[in-house]
Amino acid sequence: MRTANLDGRLVLVHEDGVIDVEKAGNGLFPSDPQAVFDRWDEFRAWADSAAVADQPRTPFEKQELGPPVPRPRQVFAVGLNYADHVAESQVETPAHPAVFTKFPTSLAGPYDTVTLPSALVDWEVELVAVIGREAYQVAAADAWDHVAGVTLGQDLSDRGVQLRGPAPQFSLGKSFPGFSPTGPVLVTPDELEQPDDLALGCAVNGETMQESRTSQMIFSVPEQIARISAICRLLPGDLIFTGTPAGVGGARDPRRFLAPGEELRSWIEGIGELRNPLIAGPGHPQRTDAV
Ligand code: ZN
């Protein structure tokens, strides 16, 4: 099953169009794409029923897609989770997942324009796991059972803000408005032949910058859920950005960051792509303070 947020309304996505959930169910489920995660099992059973599958599909404009999970209560992200990205970052392989947060106000849709606050904004294509069932102290073997689905995300990062200060702190520099584009759809794990081995990548203005597979993660999706839920209670509709492979701009020689007028395209096998045009914010490009 694939779901999306079409202009603020929850829809089921099929090749030939969408089904509006609130209308198809006569109000059984509300239109709010966030509300469904608290009743995920019930929703899945309803969506799989023949009466729903036979509903007429409506064509749609993909530009109207918003983030499939618009208001998660918690957004976790894991840094340094691919060996080649650890190497290019010139740090040691983490013994524990390097967890930080991206504040939910940074979420954006798959085709939204992103405003660059500085000349130091970097790309990080990532698989994003969506929690579908409360998870606390869950074993890795049971972790996929707690996932509603997966989507695609960019963990955009202002490297100046991220790495400044007496000790680097990741969360603020990765939480400017628009710094977490996600979408275009949420895909349930059963739709993917190998949910732990998906090709992913991104390109800036057509130049491929990152290309890898999610099987290259140091901590797999189930392992991340086990490690994070050992400490935090994961709630339905929470997001986990699961890390990025090598090829970020800040690790290139010379360094390369996103510029106004460029387009960032990101993709993951089986889910789809994001296309985010970039424009200059009021602070750009004056603030180029060194990392
Ligand atoms: Zn990241």
Side-chain angles (χ1 to χ4, degrees):
M1 182 179 74
R2 290 157 184 270
T3 68
N5 167 359
L6 186 62
D7 202 16
R9 296 183 66 87
L10 177 66
V11 293
L12 295 166
V13 181
H14 296 276
E15 294 218 332
D16 53 348
V18 297
I19 297 172
D20 183 281
V21 168
E22 190 266 338
K23 289 177 184 161
N26 288 316
L28 177 62
F29 296 96
S31 60
D32 177 6
Q34 189 68 44
V36 74
F37 297 104
D38 284 324
R39 293 164 64 193
W40 189 251
D41 291 339
E42 187 191 348
F43 173 68
R44 283 220 57 180
W46 172 82
D48 286 340
S49 65
V52 176
D54 291 345
Q55 293 271 334
R57 287 96 191 260
T58 315
F60 69 102
E61 293 289 333
K62 61 182 186 180
Q63 305 291 341
E64 289 183 16
L65 291 172
V69 186
R71 297 185 320 283
R73 286 171 281 203
Q74 307 183 88
V75 182
F76 298 88
V78 175
L80 302 166
N81 197 34
Y82 286 74
D84 55 1
H85 179 53
V86 170
E88 72 176 358
S89 304
Q90 300 179 311
V91 294
E92 281 181 30
T93 301
H96 308 279
V99 178
F100 56 94
T101 191
K102 287 171 75 69
F103 296 106
T105 51
S106 65
L107 286 166
Y111 300 98
D112 286 353
T113 296
V114 177
T115 299
L116 302 174
S118 78
L120 294 170
V121 180
D122 205 345
W123 53 85
E124 293 188 0
V125 65
E126 309 203 1
L127 177 74
V128 178
V130 182
I131 298 298
R133 188 175 287 167
E134 184 167 317
Y136 184 58
Q137 301 187 339
V138 167
D142 301 325
W144 274 118
D145 289 341
H146 293 75
V147 174
V150 289
T151 188
L152 162 61
Q154 265 287 343
D155 174 18
L156 294 175
S157 310
D158 182 315
R159 299 297 188 203
V161 174
Q162 180 189 349
L163 299 174
R164 74 186 177 192
Q169 55 98 4
F170 285 13
S171 299
L172 277 184
K174 290 165 172 278
S175 292
F176 285 87
F179 267 30
S180 307
T182 54
V185 293
L186 176 151
V187 180
T188 54
D190 59 287
E191 292 261 330
L192 302 164
E193 223 166 277
Q194 297 282 352
D196 288 304
D197 183 25
L198 305 171
L200 78 171
C202 76
V204 180
N205 268 8
E207 182 187 348
T208 298
M209 296 296 185
Q210 296 185 283
E211 236 180 352
S212 186
R213 303 191 68 85
T214 59
S215 52
Q216 300 303 304
M217 288 180 188
I218 295 169
F219 299 101
S220 65
V221 171
E223 192 63 30
Q224 291 182 42
I225 289 171
R227 302 282 194 117
I228 298 171
S229 79
I231 295 170
C232 296
R233 204 174 281 281
L234 301 178
L235 304 173
D238 284 355
L239 301 181
I240 304 175
F241 282 71
T242 60
T244 201
V248 302
R252 288 170 181 266
D253 185 19
R255 296 190 306 167
R256 162 83 159 89
F257 294 112
L258 294 168
E262 293 182 327
E263 184 198 58
L264 177 60
R265 185 170 82 86
S266 316
W267 61 86
I268 294 189
E269 178 184 8
I271 298 174
E273 65 172 17
L274 314 175
R275 281 179 176 269
N276 299 106
L278 308 165
I279 60 170
H284 186 285
Q286 293 88 337
R287 198 166 61 68
T288 55
D289 42 322
V291 171

